[in-house]
Amino acid sequence: MSGDSSRVVVGTEDGVWVLAQRPTGWAVLHDQLHGRDVWTVTTSPHQPEVLFAGTGGHGLFRSVNGGGSWRPMSRGLESAYVRALAVDPRDPARVHAAAEPPAWYTSTDEGETWMCIADGAAFAGAAEVRAMAVITPEAPVFLLAAPDTLWRTGDAGQVWERATVPAGIRQLAVLQPASHIFAATAEGLYHSVDAGATWACGLAGACHAVAAAPDGAWLAAAIRRPGTTVAAIVVSRDTGATWSTLAAAPQPFVRLAASAVGLMAIDDAGGLWYTHWADDSSVPAVPWQTVVDDLPPAYDVHMFAD
């Protein structure tokens, strides 16, 4: 990788950071929103310079210049605590946000204004949101995960139904083709081939995180398999049909992010790690490297390309 061919946006307990890999190591391009817990970050698949950041107590922010500057975008949000964000894959103006207490918001003007589509009554009084996924094989399907429950809607959030996934949900990943969804849960890595309507266990064990590269070529999970004491990183190149074990994670990883060039991980202390996919192998190159030693503890990471 060279130049700014791939960048990373990181939500931390002290602002949002944008990093790029240089030949000499990782460089900080921007660090903004200091003094704020940035719980979740995402980018627009339509416009790489458009970034969104959701905070714990300060609402939602948007950048249109790759993280160089940020503007509050919370008009219509009834909560200042934003846990999950997604830009609609088919419509750059439509953005979705999940807040706490659990509520679902949609914007049709790139985040300028928001409308509450579903409030806490739709989510049976759950107190926390963990993750969100937007699936658009034909009509949009949305998934919203709390630690104990996964909800699914196929009508833009008007009616939500519970999905049959075990408790302890940590992270969701959408793998192309978009009908393939993966959920990291306390009981294993679960796989759905029908946009979240039904689920089956793909890998048994305590699965801490899962991520898919946008091009669908890579799927990665951090999982502690039965009979083992240390979580390993496993990767698949065939939609989860077969897996290769990379190695034991250097730290307990709790969140993953993947791109066409590599894999990012956040450990349980908020440290950020990286490995790149090997050119001549079906598994990533090792060893892992830490990213920017003075980075504040991280909550979320998203990899994106220019």
Side-chain angles (χ1 to χ4, degrees), residues 7-8 38 56 114 158 167-168 175 227 244 276:
R7 289 174 289 167
V8 179
V38 179
W114 296 86
Q158 299 301 314
L175 186 69
S244 300
H276 65 274

Side-chain angles (χ1 to χ4, degrees), residues 133-135 137 143 172-183 190-196 199 212 219 238-241:
V134 180
I135 310 105
L143 300 176
L172 301 173
V174 180
L175 186 69
Q176 301 296 338
S179 58
H180 287 267
I181 318 298
F182 292 84
Y190 275 70
H191 181 195
S192 172
V193 297
D194 53 12
W199 296 79
L219 178 68
D238 54 11
T239 321

Side-chain angles (χ1 to χ4, degrees), residues 70-298:
W70 296 79
R71 185 163 68 89
M73 306 293 287
S74 297
R75 190 166 58 160
L77 286 177
E78 299 172 9
S79 170
Y81 298 83
V82 179
R83 274 291 186 188
L85 292 164
V87 179
D88 195 298
R90 299 188 300 184
D91 182 357
R94 189 174 292 271
V95 189
H96 309 281
E100 290 184 356
W104 178 274
Y105 293 86
T106 293
S107 171
T108 58
D109 53 13
E110 300 183 5
E112 294 284 346
T113 59
W114 296 86
M115 178 181 299
C116 183
I117 305 300
D119 60 16
F123 305 112
E128 182 182 344
V129 177
R130 282 280 179 90
M132 180 201 302
V134 180
I135 310 105
T136 57
E138 295 175 0
V141 173
F142 305 96
L143 300 176
L144 186 65
D148 297 326
T149 311
L150 183 68
W151 288 276
R152 177 181 184 271
T153 180
D155 60 4
Q158 299 301 314
V159 177
W160 294 79
E161 60 183 8
R162 288 180 180 239
T164 55
V165 178
I169 302 165
R170 281 110 178 217
Q171 193 171 7
L172 301 173
V174 180
L175 186 69
Q176 301 296 338
S179 58
H180 287 267
I181 318 298
F182 292 84
T185 82
E187 296 184 17
L189 180 65
Y190 275 70
H191 181 195
S192 172
V193 297
D194 53 12
T198 60
W199 296 79
C201 184
L203 290 174
C207 191
H208 304 286
V210 61
D215 63 0
W218 293 96
L219 178 68
I223 188 167
R224 181 170 59 81
R225 305 297 298 275
T228 65
T229 59
V230 178
I233 301 297
V234 296
V235 295
S236 175
R237 301 269 288 178
D238 54 11
T239 321
T242 61
W243 295 86
S244 300
T245 300
L246 169 60
Q251 298 288 335
F253 289 153
V254 297
R255 195 159 190 87
L256 296 175
S259 75
V261 295
L263 183 66
M264 282 277 177
I266 298 175
D267 65 36
D268 61 357
L272 189 63
W273 298 75
Y274 173 76
T275 187
H276 65 274
W277 305 125
D279 294 333
D280 58 352
S281 172
S282 63
V283 297
V286 289
W288 289 83
Q289 59 179 273
T290 57
V291 178
V292 187
D293 290 337
D294 57 353
L295 188 75

